[in-house]
């Protein structure tokens, strides 16, 4: 039985075991805490994802991602100005094509949706860094990240090397529209080398590659697939995206992409993979980006809407953790909101 004893000051007179070591000294005031803070968030850390769609005057909220929109090209100049005014240096574009086909032709069409979007953004705010996602899944009728062919036994498989040729064409087309950085996300073997070669052959030496180097086959991408209308129509992505159980394999993936000429590497998703971010940070010297993905965003928004968590507190804590783990850059749907908080010093 637990004896109930009233608290008295006398009962609290014991000193710590090492009385000269008192970490609380440096937590005593807000100024002291600020002085010893090891990690700080800045709008300069963020890359804001944008979903671009055909049409005019379209600003369609994505139900599973409150506060995020599919935008038509005419909406982009205002969006670019807002992002730049908040001190966010970059956006990453995802296109929703008018027609989907087996090879995702609109992805490398001169007047494709992403090409139009890049030109509109660059015309509005030339210094804004424009990144394009280079993958096939949003553009193909089957929703897969590569060329699909029949495999022995009637199954299907993704033809890695045939896909590389298309990815090269896509990257060159995005570069021609004015993209600063292309970001291959399809987890095809050799994609970075193929894209570098294609870009250089077309004279785009200055266009950088941000490789989705360690991208996992994650259930956290659900809301994105609604937003980009890109779920696989059959099968899944486990033959190219990584098994969430593997960490050492992520380092092999990153090493390959670095060897193939990646300028920056990404770990995706972020929150369930902080150990991977840390390991990549320790092993490689390139800038490391982490993708705080759609499902991670949706969870916070849903819980906050229910009043179950303090949305702002949780958001800042999560983004700080991603940076503390070693990310230099964070792709996040929270970018604008958090930049606003940081600007008004509400954090
Ligand atoms: C592929 C791509 C995906 C995401 C970014 N690029 C989807 C996928 O791999 O299935 C997911 C991003 C997110 O969930 O926020 N083009």
């Amino acid at each position: 039985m637990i004896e109930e004893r009233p608290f008295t000051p006398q009962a609290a007179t014991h000193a710590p075991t090492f009385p000269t070591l008192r970490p609380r000294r440096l937590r005593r005031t807000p100024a002291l805490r600020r002085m010893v803070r090891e990690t700080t968030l800045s709008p300069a850390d963020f890359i804001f994802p944008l979903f671009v769609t055909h049409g005019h005057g379209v600003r369609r909220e994505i139900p599973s991602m409150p506060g995020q929109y599919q935008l038509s090209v005419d909406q982009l100049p205002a969006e670019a100005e807002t992002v730049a005014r908040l001190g966010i240096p970059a956006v990453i574009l995802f296109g929703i094509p008018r027609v989907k086909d087996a090879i995702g032709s609109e992805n490398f069409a001169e007047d494709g949706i992403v090409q139009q979007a890049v030109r509109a953004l660059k015309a509005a705010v030339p210094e804004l860094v424009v990144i394009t996602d280079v993958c096939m899944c949003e553009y193909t009728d089957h929703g897969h990240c590569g060329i699909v062919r029949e495999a022995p036994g009637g199954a299907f498989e993704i033809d890695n090397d045939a896909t590389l040729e298309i990815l090269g064409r896509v990257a060159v087309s995005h570069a021609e529209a004015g993209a600063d950085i292309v970001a291959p996300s399809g987890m095809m073997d050799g994609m970075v080398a193929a894209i570098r070669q294609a870009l250089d052959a077309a004279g785009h030496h200055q266009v950088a590659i941000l490789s989705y180097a360690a991208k996992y086959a994650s259930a956290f991408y659900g809301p994105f697939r609604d937003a980009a209308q890109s779920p696989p129509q059959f099968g899944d992505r486990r033959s190219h995206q990584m098994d969430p159980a593997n960490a050492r394999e992520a380092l092999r993936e990153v090493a390959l992409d670095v060897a193939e000429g990646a300028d920056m590497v990404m770990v995706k998703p972020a929150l369930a993979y902080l150990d991977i971010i840390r390991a990549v940070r320790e092993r490689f010297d390139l800038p490391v980006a982490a993708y705080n993905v759609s499902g991670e965003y949706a969870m916070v928004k849903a819980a906050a809407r229910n009043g179950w968590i303090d949305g702002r507190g949780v958001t800042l804590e999560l983004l700080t953790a991603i940076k503390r783990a070693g990310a230099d850059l964070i792709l996040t749907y929270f970018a604008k909101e958090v930049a606003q908080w940081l600007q008004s010093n509400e954090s």
Side-chain angles (χ1 to χ4, degrees):
M1 206 184 108
I2 297 165
E3 192 191 336
E4 285 202 23
R5 246 191 312 164
F7 174 82
T8 62
Q10 279 97 326
T13 53
H14 296 289
T17 315
F18 303 103
T20 56
L21 302 179
R22 290 178 179 271
R24 288 187 54 200
R25 279 181 196 129
L26 298 182
R27 294 182 204 134
R28 198 166 48 82
T29 68
L32 281 165
R33 290 195 290 271
R34 198 154 73 91
M35 278 176 73
V36 299
R37 187 160 296 144
E38 298 173 28
T39 310
T40 45
L41 285 175
S42 151
D45 304 330
F46 301 145
I47 297 170
F48 185 57
L50 288 173
F51 298 99
V52 200
T53 191
H54 286 279
H56 196 85
V58 182
R59 194 175 179 82
R60 194 179 301 126
E61 192 168 20
I62 300 154
S64 52
M65 300 175 72
Q68 304 304 313
Y69 300 84
Q70 292 178 343
L71 301 172
S72 51
V73 173
D74 59 285
Q75 305 288 305
L76 295 180
E79 195 67 22
E81 277 153 31
T82 306
V83 165
R85 186 166 32 77
L86 289 168
I88 299 164
V91 296
I92 180 162
L93 290 176
F94 298 98
I96 301 151
R98 199 187 300 279
V99 272
K100 301 187 185 223
D101 60 25
I103 61 164
S105 314
E106 191 178 318
N107 208 358
F108 47 88
E110 198 192 326
D111 221 27
I113 189 68
V114 157
Q115 290 80 353
Q116 290 182 39
V118 173
R119 289 193 289 265
L121 289 166
K122 279 292 183 187
V125 182
E127 70 274 16
L128 184 70
V129 175
V130 176
I131 308 173
T132 59
D133 185 82
V134 172
C135 189
M136 289 175 59
C137 60
E138 289 123 70
Y139 298 87
T140 48
D141 48 14
H142 45 67
H144 281 289
C145 308
I147 302 281
V148 171
R149 70 172 177 210
E150 217 167 295
F156 78 96
E157 62 187 16
I158 293 175
D159 185 339
N160 191 89
D161 299 6
T163 303
L164 296 182
E165 196 219 313
I166 305 235
L167 294 180
R169 285 171 73 176
V170 172
V172 168
S173 169
H174 292 184
E176 244 133 54
D180 300 290
I181 302 176
V182 293
S185 65
M187 290 296 283
M188 294 296 118
D189 294 338
M191 66 183 184
V192 172
I195 287 172
R196 185 72 271 159
Q197 211 171 11
L199 287 172
D200 289 351
H204 296 294
H205 304 276
Q206 78 292 355
V207 172
I209 300 175
L210 162 59
S211 180
Y212 287 66
K215 175 174 176 178
Y216 287 86
S218 170
F220 283 101
Y221 306 150
F224 174 96
R225 291 177 188 174
D226 297 340
Q229 294 158 8
S230 64
Q233 299 303 306
F234 51 89
D236 56 40
R237 302 202 168 140
R238 284 184 289 186
S239 79
H240 47 290
Q241 298 181 349
M242 283 183 55
D243 182 340
N246 294 357
R248 293 187 299 267
E249 187 187 344
L251 298 176
R252 290 203 296 279
E253 281 281 3
V254 174
L256 268 174
D257 285 5
V258 172
E260 289 178 27
D263 298 282
M264 306 193 245
V265 291
M266 191 198 300
V267 174
K268 177 188 171 186
L271 294 175
Y273 299 86
L274 295 180
D275 56 330
I276 311 298
I277 296 172
R278 161 64 43 181
V280 171
R281 167 75 298 146
E282 282 175 359
R283 187 84 68 99
F284 301 94
D285 293 330
L286 273 65
V288 175
Y291 202 140
N292 174 216
V293 300
S294 58
E296 300 173 334
Y297 176 82
M299 286 197 303
V300 174
K301 288 294 175 195
R305 274 193 171 184
N306 275 297
W308 295 340
I309 58 168
D310 162 13
R312 197 170 88 187
V314 166
T315 300
L316 290 167
E317 188 173 330
L318 291 177
L319 294 179
T320 302
I322 294 169
K323 199 167 171 199
R324 192 194 62 228
D328 301 295
L329 296 163
I330 308 173
L331 295 91
T332 180
Y333 304 99
F334 290 114
K336 286 202 299 185
E337 209 175 339
V338 173
Q340 220 148 24
W341 298 338
L342 295 174
Q343 244 181 20
S344 55
N345 236 345
E346 288 173 54
S347 58

